[in-house]
């Protein structure tokens, strides 16, 4: 599913005197198959934008298409129809909020993960539900038989987050949107979670992944395209390489991934590297350069 | 969403009412509530309503905000009116259908009026007084109870923490509602029971996070050696001024006039 946003605007508390315009016209296209990154300072509208993607926020101005879904409510469409569309949309676009473990509520991990399937497919048989839950729990790397009857509150922090993500994967979304998925995890947990996302993406279980992140290393390592949000607009949509090699005010406030920083310093002493800033390619390029000069 | 609630949220501006001593405002409100129930006829209610309108004008709070804050209790008013209309025992002939009497209608109208001005009065207090000032005021008003070892300071602290946490928990509830909606939860269809059931996935995480926050706050207070028995000074001392005297006098005039107006006859 392709996501096309044109001139998307949004204002919080529109009628109150303390209203705040969070989106000032976002023009952005996310293609099917993208591993897409969204970066920007706090308050730049990233979270507001992604909440639009599965209809948690109603479109106020501009247009937003997610696949065949037109998210701007039209006059012809009744309220009931709109609600029905939202349900279909939400099952296709999974949303993982910041600290998703705070949404766990059920008595057992099984029940919690099953919540989404039961909501989206109320007619499924118990066996089918169990099959899907087991699959989702396996996908996130938890042991289904060990955790299914545990209380979600007994799990460790990293496990809780995985269980919460399983609760979203269980509805088999085509697009997965994650708001700072690794915030608060230890380095091992971070690495594991990112490799989980790559597995999902590479095997085509989830076609499109969108992550919001403040960690530039995470962006340069993982995404193929990135949008820079600033003041409620997507001011730049490009590859990480372009983002981190251009020098201007809006991107310099972001900071650089380690690889880009090292390249910059090498550049100052006359070593020109041409790779993108993925560690693997960066090292290859560096070694090649070294061999050439020696 | 939940954040649209205007009920009782402090309205930032600088006005005569905002600058009044919180203790005076609390006392006037208490007296006002008492007199709402003392008032027995239309004229007495009119005096109280006029008082409220004057107070709102002097508080610089837009009337639209006052009206909006009534949304939350509209349901209660409607229920009260319906119950009273049907169950008030009147003496005169029935005017509508077979059980509704004239007295019942008048009584319910007064009841609705009472509730409206009562809530508006209370909302005006919270609109014009910061939570901190409010708890300071309550602490100061209750301080005589310290003599009988009543934990006044602790009570004030509990209140201020509770007030402080309302917006935080509301934001949290908003977030949890969103994440459950993203998992296909449906909060606004079905009957009352299924709607109540649909709230479980919101209430449990909310409760869990409230406990987590309480624990964190407790730790933070402990780590700064908080003790309720310590003698502490205040950054902002409450002081009465000429303004408070004027407000008190005006209120007394209104309340006395309510007593006189009651003499004109009642329901």
């Amino acid at each position: 599913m392709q996501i096309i946003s044109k001139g998307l605007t949004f204002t919080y508390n529109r009628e109150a005197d303390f209203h705040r315009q969070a989106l000032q016209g976002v023009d952005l296209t996310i293609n099917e198959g993208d591993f897409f990154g969204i970066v920007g300072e706090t308050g730049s509208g990233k979270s507001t934008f992604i909440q639009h993607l599965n209809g948690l926020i109603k479109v106020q101005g501009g247009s937003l298409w997610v696949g065949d879904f037109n998210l701007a409510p039209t006059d012809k469409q009744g309220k009931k129809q709109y609600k029905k569309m939202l349900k279909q949309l939400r099952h296709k676009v999974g949303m993982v909020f910041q600290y998703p473990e705070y949404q766990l509520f059920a008595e057992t991990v099984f029940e919690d993960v099953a919540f989404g399937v039961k909501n989206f497919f109320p007619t499924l048989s118990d066996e089918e539900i169990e099959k899907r839950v087991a699959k989702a729990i396996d996908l996130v790397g938890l042991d289904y038989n060990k955790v299914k009857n545990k209380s979600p509150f007994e799990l460790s922090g990293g496990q809780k987050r995985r269980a919460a993500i399983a609760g979203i994967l269980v509805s088999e979304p085509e697009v997965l949107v994650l708001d700072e998925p690794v915030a608060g995890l230890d380095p091992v947990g971070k690495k594991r979670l990112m490799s989980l996302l790559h597995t999902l993406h590479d095997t085509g279980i989830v076609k499109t992944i969108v992550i919001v992140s403040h960690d530039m290393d995470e962006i340069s390592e993982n995404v193929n395209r990135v949008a820079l949000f600033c003041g409620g607009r997507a001011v730049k949509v490009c590859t990480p390489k372009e983002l981190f090699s251009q020098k201007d005010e809006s991107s310099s406030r972001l900071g650089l991934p380690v690889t880009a920083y090292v390249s910059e310093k090498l550049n100052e002493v006359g070593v020109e590297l041409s790779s993108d800033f993925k560690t693997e390619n960066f090292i290859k390029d560096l070694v090649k350069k070294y061999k050439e000069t020696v | 969403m939940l954040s649209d609630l205007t009920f009782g949220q402090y309205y930032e501006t600088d006005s005569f009412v905002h600058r009044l001593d919180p203790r005076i405002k609390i006392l006037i409100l208490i007296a006002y509530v008492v007199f709402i129930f003392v008032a027995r006829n239309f004229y007495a209610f009119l005096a109280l309503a006029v008082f409220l309108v004057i107070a709102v004008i002097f508080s610089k709070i837009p009337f639209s905000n006052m009206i909006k804050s009534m949304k939350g209790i509209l349901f209660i008013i409607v229920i009260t009116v319906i119950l009273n209309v049907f169950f008030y025992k009147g003496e005169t002939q029935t005017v509508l259908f077979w059980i509704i009497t004239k007295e019942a209608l008048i009584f319910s109208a007064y009841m609705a009026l009472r509730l409206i001005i009562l809530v508006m009065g209370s909302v005006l207090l919270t609109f014009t007084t910061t939570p901190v000032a409010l708890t300071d005021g309550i602490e100061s008003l209750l301080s005589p109870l310290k003599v009988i070892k009543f934990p006044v300071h602790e009570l004030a602290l509990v209140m201020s923490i509770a007030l402080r946490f309302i917006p935080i928990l509301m934001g949290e509830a908003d977030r949890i509602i969103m994440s459950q909606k993203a998992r296909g939860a449906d909060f606004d269809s079905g009957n009352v029971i299924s709607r109540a059931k649909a709230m479980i996935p919101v209430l449990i995480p909310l409760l869990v996070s409230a406990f987590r926050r309480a624990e964190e706050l407790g730790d933070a207070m402990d780590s700064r050696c908080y003790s309720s028995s310590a003698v502490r000074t205040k950054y902002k001392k409450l002081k009465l001024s000429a303004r408070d005297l004027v407000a008190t006098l005006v209120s007394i005039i209104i309340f006395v006039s309510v007593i006189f107006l009651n003499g004109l006859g009642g329901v």
Side-chain angles (χ1 to χ4, degrees), chain B:
Chain B
M1 285 244 111
L2 293 171
S3 49
D4 292 343
L5 277 177
T6 43
F7 188 81
Q9 246 178 42
Y10 179 66
Y11 184 93
E12 176 106 41
T13 181
D14 186 23
S15 79
F16 180 83
V17 183
H18 279 75
R19 281 162 171 252
L20 283 178
D21 188 298
R23 290 169 297 181
I24 296 296
K25 277 190 272 191
I26 293 169
L27 288 177
I28 291 178
L29 179 69
I30 292 172
Y32 188 72
V33 171
V34 169
F35 276 91
I36 284 173
F37 287 94
V38 168
R40 284 194 304 146
N41 61 24
F42 177 73
Y43 304 105
F45 276 118
L46 192 67
L48 288 171
V50 167
F51 182 42
L52 185 68
V53 169
I54 293 172
V56 173
I57 291 171
F58 273 92
S59 71
K60 292 193 194 159
I61 287 173
F63 276 93
S64 59
N65 282 38
M66 296 297 295
I67 305 281
K68 251 190 256 164
S69 66
M70 302 303 295
K71 251 197 250 166
I73 63 144
L74 193 68
F75 181 69
I76 300 173
I77 293 177
V78 171
I79 293 281
T80 318
V81 168
I82 290 174
L83 286 181
N84 275 310
V85 163
F86 281 105
F87 293 107
Y88 188 80
K89 291 262 183 296
E91 273 144 24
T92 48
Q93 78 290 5
T94 54
V95 276
L96 268 173
F97 306 119
W98 56 96
I99 36 169
I100 302 171
T101 61
K102 196 175 157 201
E103 279 98 344
L105 286 177
I106 294 173
F107 184 79
S108 340
Y110 278 149
M111 210 56 197
L113 209 61
R114 272 194 184 118
L115 281 175
I116 291 170
I117 53 180
L118 186 143
V119 172
M120 280 203 173
S122 325
V123 166
L124 188 63
L125 175 71
T126 51
F127 266 156
T128 58
T129 320
T130 61
V132 175
L134 206 58
T135 44
D136 275 357
I138 291 171
E139 186 176 356
S140 162
L141 285 174
L142 292 180
S143 55
L145 291 176
K146 275 180 190 158
V147 180
I148 56 162
K149 297 256 164 82
F150 185 81
V152 175
H153 176 73
E154 283 85 342
L155 185 77
L157 183 74
V158 166
M159 278 186 52
S160 63
I161 290 175
L163 287 171
R164 174 70 192 81
F165 268 64
I166 289 173
I168 293 179
L169 288 179
M170 235 145 67
E172 186 108 0
D174 243 358
R175 264 215 310 285
I176 297 170
I177 286 176
M178 276 213 187
S179 54
Q180 304 300 22
K181 266 189 180 166
R183 295 211 276 166
D186 190 354
F187 297 109
D188 34 38
S189 56
N191 57 23
V192 181
I193 296 172
S194 65
R195 276 191 207 198
K197 262 192 184 160
M199 287 312 284
I200 293 175
V202 176
L203 292 178
I204 291 179
L206 194 61
L207 216 64
V208 170
S209 98
F211 275 110
R212 194 185 59 243
R213 283 179 194 281
E215 213 168 291
E216 280 168 6
L217 182 66
D219 285 346
M221 286 165 76
D222 272 342
S223 66
R224 289 178 218 178
C225 304
Y226 175 82
S227 151
S228 58
S229 58
V231 179
R232 44 175 57 79
T233 52
K234 282 230 154 72
Y235 169 56
K236 274 186 184 163
K237 276 213 166 119
L238 296 177
K239 242 193 284 171
L240 294 177
S241 64
R243 207 179 291 117
D244 299 303
L245 189 69
V246 173
T248 314
L249 282 177
V250 172
S251 318
I252 290 173
I253 292 170
I254 295 280
F255 296 147
V256 170
S257 68
V258 167
I259 294 174
F260 277 112
L261 291 168
N262 260 346
L264 294 176
V267 197

Side-chain angles (χ1 to χ4, degrees), chain A residues 261-280:
Chain A
Y261 179 76
V262 174
S263 305
E264 193 186 295
K265 291 288 159 201
L266 285 173
N267 211 342
E268 278 168 22
V269 295
V271 182
E272 296 258 359
L273 292 175
S274 58
S275 82
D276 61 13
F277 301 121
K278 278 189 186 159
T279 313
E280 204 187 317

